[in-house]
């Protein structure tokens, strides 16, 4: 088993190195085959490890590969940790990545840089596998930064496109802000406990919960401080409120990249990290309240913004942001198992929605604006069916009494019930419960809005566009410049995607249908203790998984009621009264402007942080460096030398009689001085 998991983790790196270095010589087909083949093998091995953990009695173990950093008391090593958490993440990461590799054979078929693209995909996968199997903070940080690098390369893959390059830089910079807090958290852990090894650290926490740190006359609870700083890193990586602005712009990368980053890998790393550190967060009540509050606010904020977006990928991107908020406040109230369950099911239906959106974009000749779509269900029947399944899954459709539903029904409802249970004793958790219901209604509205605008109603492309509602046509004319629009998009009818793109969609649709039902008992049910086997720790005071089963009927039915309400409103606005949504947008009311402009976060950050940073940069560069340092330093000395040289150079006339006259004056002066000195001496 040790050799198997070692190959599992390193295989994507092998593919990335070979194809990254020799891809042009190998050619497109060989490069794609090598990276995809290794990912399929890795995926198969991951499912084998997961099955052995779930049903085969596999126990947790760690494979130590090599020393990493040994400086004094600071010791870190390359290792592969296999337990319940890493087994789940191995399946999530490799399954989505393998399907994205296959899907990309069709989606990127016309791209000239396919070897580079597939090498980046494999590099990203390796970094995530290093992250989720880390046995200490340093390898976790290595994987953390590795996915940051790979995401920068993938988001900016079309680097000749200015918006793609800007989006990649934005993602990189915003994540560095979060990573600064994450690094401080790691330093705090080592300073306080003398180790970064999880196996050594976790047993120390329960016995040192009263430790504090005095600073500026205040005493800070040490575990709370460390967990809060570590969560700042999670806020950046998982695009939580305040550090979320990079996530929608990441849509500038190819659609398979969006599915890989947003569905199961990079953005879920923060959720995984909080659950991994449950032995610490269980004794950090302040940090947990921060996690709960930030997650709840993010769930609401992103859901509201998704109501008014028109780019099909951006709607799904804000949906990701909102669903991550659910996962975080689940972990914040102590239901780490529920957070991981939603992470698991979310991987299937969110990857399905993103790749489905890519199928729509492919079929619409690179059109992304939903206002230029409509009536596509006849032309893209398979894509329509699987995206409807994904929509039912993300809205959590199911029958509570019969416990029959799509994947999101099991995981999202579990989170809502956990928030209710925790809210009986915690005001912040109660706030999260209320927000969870509001966000569920908004999720249903914008998700069905996407389906109705894309697949139903009057066609707003080609021949059908001539018969579109006048308001829709006017609104479409005012579409954002960022929406990708092929000049020939309206010259051809939409078409279904090739089989190589549809097969991953069908596989993901199966997961969106059955993943919740198949694994609910293992993740949050009666078998959860045997399944996690200590990988997640609930303290003696934490009975959330038991308490949530005591939820009254109205709590159990509330998610279904609000989801049906969201569906009904979307149907009324975009089907029964088609054109109403465009008319509301055309009025450009203050609420619509707030949501359409994403609460003006980009503008606020531009006016404050960006301009302030630019002002300080100009001040230190032009004022400090150029005028002060260079002005009095090298530039000042050279300018003085040049000025003196120019003036003294005028003394050189080139005329002999001038030089003779000067020599005569010199002789006369010398003689005068000699006579004066002689007379004084006499």
């Amino acid at each position: 088993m040790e050799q198997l998991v070692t190959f599992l983790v390193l295989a994507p790196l092998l593919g990335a190195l070979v194809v990254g270095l020799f891809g042009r010589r190998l050619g497109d087909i060989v490069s794609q085959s090598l990276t995809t083949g290794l990912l399929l093998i890795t995926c198969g091995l991951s499912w084998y490890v997961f099955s052995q953990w779930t049903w085969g009695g596999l126990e947790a173990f760690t494979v130590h590969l090599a020393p990493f950093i040994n400086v004094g008391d600071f010791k870190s090593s390359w290792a592969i940790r296999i337990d319940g958490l890493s087994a789940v993440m191995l399946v999530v990461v490799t399954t989505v990545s393998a399907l994205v590799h296959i899907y990309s054979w069709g989606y990127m078929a016309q791209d000239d840089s396919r070897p580079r693209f597939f090498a980046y995909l494999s590099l990203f996968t390796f970094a995530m596998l290093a992250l989720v199997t880390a046995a200490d903070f340093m390898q976790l940080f290595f994987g953390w930064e590795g996915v940051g690098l790979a995401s920068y390369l993938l988001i900016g893959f079309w680097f000749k496109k200015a918006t793609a390059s800007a989006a990649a830089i934005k993602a990189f910079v915003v994540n560095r802000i979060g990573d600064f807090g994450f690094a401080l958290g790691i330093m705090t852990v080592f300073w306080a406990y003398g180790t970064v090894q999880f196996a050594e650290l976790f047993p120390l926490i329960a016995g040192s919960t009263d430790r504090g740190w005095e600073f500026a006359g205040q005493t800070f609870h040490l575990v709370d401080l460390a967990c809060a700083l570590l969560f700042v890193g999670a806020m950046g990586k998982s695009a939580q409120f305040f550090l979320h602005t990079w996530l929608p712009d990441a849509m500038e990368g190819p659609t398979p990249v969006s599915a890989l980053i947003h569905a199961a890998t990079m953005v879920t790393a923060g959720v995984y990290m909080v659950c991994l550190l449950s032995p610490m967060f269980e004794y950090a009540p302040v940090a947990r309240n921060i996690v709960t509050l930030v997650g709840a606010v993010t769930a609401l904020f992103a859901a509201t913004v998704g109501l008014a977006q028109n780019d099909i990928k951006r709607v799904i991107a804000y949906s990701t942001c909102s669903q991550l908020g659910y996962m975080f406040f689940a972990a914040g109230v102590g239901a780490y198992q529920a957070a991981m369950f939603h992470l698991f099911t979310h991987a299937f239906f969110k990857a399905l929605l993103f790749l489905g959106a890519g199928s729509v974009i492919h079929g619409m000749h690179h059109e992304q604006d939903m206002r230029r779509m409509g009536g596509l269900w006849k032309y893209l029947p398979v894509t329509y069916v699987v995206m409807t399944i994904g929509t039912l899954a993300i809205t959590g459709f199911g029958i509570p009494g019969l416990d029959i539903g799509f994947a999101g029904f099991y995981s999202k409802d579990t989170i809502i019930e956990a928030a209710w249970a925790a809210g009986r004793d915690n005001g912040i958790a109660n706030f999260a419960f209320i927000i969870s219901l509001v966000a569920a209604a908004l999720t249903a509205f914008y998700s069905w809005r996407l389906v109705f605008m894309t697949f139903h109603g009057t066609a707003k492309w080609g021949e059908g566009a001539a018969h579109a509602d006048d308001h829709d046509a006017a609104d479409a004319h005012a579409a954002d410049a960022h929406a990708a629009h092929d000049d020939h998009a309206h010259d051809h009818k939409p078409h279904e995607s090739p089989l190589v793109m549809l097969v991953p969609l069908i596989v993901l649709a199966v997961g969106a249908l059955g993943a919740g039902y198949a694994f609910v008992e293992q993740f949050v049910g009666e078998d959860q203790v045997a399944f996690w086997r200590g990988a997640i720790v609930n303290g003696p005071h934490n009975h959330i998984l038991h308490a949530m089963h005591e939820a009254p009927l109205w709590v159990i039915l509330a998610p279904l009621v609000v989801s049906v309400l969201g569906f009904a409103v979307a149907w009324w606005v975009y089907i029964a009264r088609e054109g109403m949504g465009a008319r509301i947008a055309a009025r450009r009311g203050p609420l619509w402007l707030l949501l359409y402009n994403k609460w003006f976060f980009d503008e606020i950050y531009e006016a404050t942080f960006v301009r302030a940073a630019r002002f300080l940069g100009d001040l230190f560069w032009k004022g400090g460096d150029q005028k002060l340092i260079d002005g009095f330093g090298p530039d000042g000395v050279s300018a003085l030398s040049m000025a003196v040289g120019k003036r003294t150079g005028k003394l050189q006339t080139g005329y002999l009689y001038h030089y003779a006259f000067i020599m005569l004056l010199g002789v006369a002066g010398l003689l005068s001085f000699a006579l004066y000195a002689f007379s004084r001496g006499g």
Side-chain angles (χ1 to χ4, degrees), residues 455-475:
F455 296 102
H456 294 275
T458 305
K460 300 171 183 64
W461 46 269
E463 298 175 359
H467 306 289
D469 184 272
D470 291 339
H471 293 284
D472 285 337
D475 199 32

Side-chain angles (χ1 to χ4, degrees), residues 71-72 88 144 177 237 272 298 393 398 464 502 512 576 636 682:
V71 179
V88 170
W144 199 269
I177 297 171
K237 196 67 68 183
Y272 163 78
T298 303
L502 295 180

Side-chain angles (χ1 to χ4, degrees), residues 56-75:
L58 180 66
E59 294 297 327
F61 66 92
T62 301
V63 182
H64 294 278
L65 301 179
F68 184 22
I69 300 175
N70 288 327
V71 179
D73 295 331
F74 189 93
K75 298 185 184 301

Side-chain angles (χ1 to χ4, degrees), residues 7 10-19 34 38:
F7 177 79
L10 298 179
L13 176 63
L14 174 64
L17 290 175
V18 173
V19 174
L34 179 61
L38 287 172

Side-chain angles (χ1 to χ4, degrees), residues 112-133:
D112 296 331
S113 302
R114 277 173 284 169
R116 179 166 60 91
F117 180 76
F118 279 85
Y120 288 169
L121 288 182
S122 292
L123 178 64
F124 188 100
T125 306
F126 163 71
M128 271 303 301
L129 293 179
L131 188 158
V132 302
T133 59

Side-chain angles (χ1 to χ4, degrees), residues 299-423:
L300 178 64
F301 157 75
T304 60
V305 175
L307 301 176
Q309 302 306 303
N310 298 308
D311 186 311
I312 187 171
K313 289 172 64 177
R314 283 179 179 263
V315 174
I316 303 174
Y318 279 107
S319 169
T320 298
C321 197
S322 182
Q323 297 303 307
L324 289 167
Y326 273 92
M327 300 176 205
F328 273 114
F329 74 68
V333 301
Y336 310 100
Q337 297 88 339
M340 287 300 299
F341 188 30
H342 198 50
L343 186 156
F344 180 77
T345 60
H346 176 265
F348 292 100
F349 56 74
K350 187 50 61 69
L352 173 61
L353 289 171
F354 264 118
L355 296 183
S359 181
V360 172
I361 295 168
H362 182 271
M364 283 292 292
H365 310 282
H366 306 291
E367 178 62 76
Q368 293 183 208
D369 196 321
M370 296 186 298
R371 294 168 296 184
R372 299 194 184 107
M373 298 181 186
L376 295 180
W377 69 272
K378 295 180 292 186
Y379 300 92
L380 290 75
V382 177
T383 302
Y384 170 61
V385 170
V386 297
M387 286 201 72
T388 302
I389 292 173
T391 301
L392 288 166
I394 195 173
T395 57
F397 181 75
I399 310 300
L402 301 177
D403 284 337
I404 298 175
F406 292 78
F409 164 72
Y410 297 93
S411 57
K412 184 188 284 189
D413 283 21
T414 299
I415 290 176
I416 293 173
E417 292 168 14
W420 170 84

Side-chain angles (χ1 to χ4, degrees), residues 174-195:
V174 173
N175 272 274
R176 298 292 73 71
I177 297 171
D179 293 350
F180 180 70
F182 189 48
L184 289 177
I186 296 174
M187 295 176 193
T188 302
V189 168
F190 180 72
W191 168 70
Y193 300 101
T195 181

